[in-house]
Amino acid sequence: MIAVDAKAAKESLVTVCSTLGMRLDTRIVKEKMTARNGCMALCGTPWTQSFFETVRYLSEQEQERYCVFKSVELLYLLCTEVSESNGSLSGSGCPVSHSLLEVKAYIQTHLSDKLTIAFLCKQFSLSPTFLKEGFRRTYGMPIHSFLVQQRLRRAQELICTTRMPIQQIAQAVGYEGMSQFNAAFKREYGMTPGQYRKMSETATPRPF
């Protein structure tokens, strides 16, 4: 369970969101919590699986930073108005195929694997056309772009919250070569992974 003092956390939250370029409508979270008698539970989701797979390998100090980072991420997810579960609508207004939900979840929990269209089609018994076109319509981007996005976000997370060597992080998110990883990371964040780590280490800690 994670409890956050909203008033004490406000300044830190604004700073984090500004740094990450995020906008949060906490009104949505309040409405969701009110509808559920003040509490919510996530169980068996890609988010919870990823969290517990990572946190057990971290030191106590790294766990603290990781939990802060994941708390902000969780708040962002809770601020999303549209749920993908139970066949609800995607951001594009189209019903989300259960098979595409499975593909998305698989990608998010297997970022270190070599994921190709051919492999995913075989894994989920889908045609290449359905997978590529369906994924793009449902999630608003090509499946390859989504994979790159998720890998880089995961890399950013590990850079900020762990002391793992950059090369090990690159391998953990599916990059075999450092040059390819460095180039992709710089395109996304405007600096190399090493520069990003130095920036995160020199940032002034704030109570959260």
Side-chain angles (χ1 to χ4, degrees), residues 99-112:
S99 58
L100 292 177
L101 287 173
E102 290 182 322
V103 170
K104 183 182 178 184
Y106 188 90
I107 290 174
Q108 291 173 317
T109 54
H110 294 79
L111 294 176
S112 62

Side-chain angles (χ1 to χ4, degrees), residues 89-179:
L89 297 181
S90 69
S92 63
C94 301
V96 180
S97 163
H98 181 69
S99 58
L100 292 177
L101 287 173
E102 290 182 322
V103 170
K104 183 182 178 184
Y106 188 90
I107 290 174
Q108 291 173 317
T109 54
H110 294 79
L111 294 176
S112 62
D113 295 355
K114 186 176 182 179
L115 301 175
T116 64
I117 294 294
F119 172 81
L120 292 172
C121 286
K122 183 177 180 181
Q123 183 78 6
F124 295 96
S125 301
L126 302 173
S127 72
T129 300
F130 175 85
L131 177 58
K132 290 188 288 187
E133 293 300 319
F135 197 96
R136 181 183 57 78
R137 286 197 306 270
T138 300
Y139 298 111
M141 68 176 70
I143 189 169
H144 175 71
S145 299
F146 176 78
L147 174 58
V148 172
Q149 178 195 75
Q150 295 300 303
R151 282 176 166 164
L152 294 178
R153 284 183 179 177
R154 176 70 168 151
Q156 179 210 35
E157 178 183 315
L158 292 174
I159 288 170
C160 290
T161 61
T162 77
R163 298 304 306 160
M164 288 174 62
I166 299 296
Q167 185 173 1
Q168 187 177 344
I169 291 176
Q171 294 172 346
V173 297
Y175 285 90
E176 297 179 357
M178 280 300 297
S179 59

Side-chain angles (χ1 to χ4, degrees), residues 34-54:
T34 300
R36 294 167 176 80
N37 297 318
C39 65
M40 294 178 66
L42 296 178
C43 180
T45 68
W47 188 91
T48 56
Q49 291 171 8
S50 173
F51 177 87
F52 287 109
E53 284 174 4
T54 301

